[in-house]
Amino acid sequence: MEVKELTTEEDVRSAFPIMNELRTHLTEEDYECLVLEAMTKDRYQMFALFVEDEIVAVTGFKPMITLYYGRYVWICDLVTSSDQRSKGYGEKLISHVERWAADQGYGSVALSSGLSRTEAHRFYEEKMDYDKVSYVFRKTWGST
């Protein structure tokens, strides 16, 4: 089991089947364009957990600074392949992000989770010791 940073277009493309389980609305082309743009413009980083040279889980995050959280890391995406869940892979990736954040001088890690994802909420609160601190609100128009 090994965590590796995904840095190239080929790396990003190789993670699409897993990420698509979470971001089902994205085509492979849209996913790739968005990830590469976010890496270039928004300091987005991706890491994958490999088991026997196969990606089983993926996370994407970015360092941020806000008045509310101060210096922190926002986990944008975290997904484990549906046939690989409950094996500790999500915990391994979040722990990796937390260590990365601490090593870079960031004081916390935050994320949002869809309201209907009760199993994920239990995981974050009970297994990973995260606090539920707010709701996230969104208003959309046009295309993204």
Side-chain angles (χ1 to χ4, degrees), residues 2-143:
E2 182 180 15
V3 175
K4 295 180 186 175
E5 185 171 7
L6 306 179
T7 58
T8 67
E9 286 186 41
E10 184 179 334
D11 290 344
V12 168
R13 197 174 304 112
S14 70
F16 176 74
I18 306 297
M19 188 64 82
N20 191 234
E21 291 187 36
L22 178 66
R23 306 296 180 214
T24 58
H25 65 287
L26 292 175
T27 66
E28 186 170 3
E29 182 180 339
D30 290 341
Y31 154 83
E32 192 174 328
C33 287
L34 286 169
V35 169
L36 296 175
E37 182 178 3
M39 286 177 161
T40 301
K41 296 180 179 177
D42 210 19
R43 301 189 315 165
Y44 181 83
Q45 297 182 52
M46 287 185 81
F47 285 83
L49 181 68
F50 289 79
V51 174
E52 298 178 8
D53 296 323
E54 181 181 336
I55 296 176
V56 297
V58 178
T59 189
F61 65 89
K62 58 185 180 176
M64 297 180 70
I65 301 169
T66 64
L67 297 179
Y68 180 67
Y69 287 121
R71 291 174 47 81
Y72 70 104
V73 167
W74 180 260
I75 296 178
C76 306
D77 310 290
L78 175 69
V79 60
T80 299
S81 176
S82 59
D83 63 343
Q84 298 292 325
R85 294 195 178 130
S86 300
K87 295 182 179 181
Y89 299 150
E91 179 179 3
K92 182 100 169 158
L93 275 180
I94 288 180
S95 295
H96 180 82
V97 173
E98 291 171 352
R99 281 190 305 278
W100 185 96
D103 290 347
Q104 301 299 315
Y106 294 93
S108 62
V109 172
L111 56 91
S112 69
S113 180
L115 293 172
S116 65
R117 301 188 67 230
T118 55
E119 290 297 316
H121 304 163
R122 188 171 18 266
F123 168 74
Y124 297 129
E125 291 177 302
E126 296 175 10
K127 184 85 171 178
M128 300 308 301
D129 201 30
Y130 277 60
D131 297 318
K132 190 183 307 181
V133 296
S134 67
Y135 286 101
V136 175
F137 295 91
R138 180 177 94 162
K139 182 177 182 178
T140 61
W141 58 91
S143 63

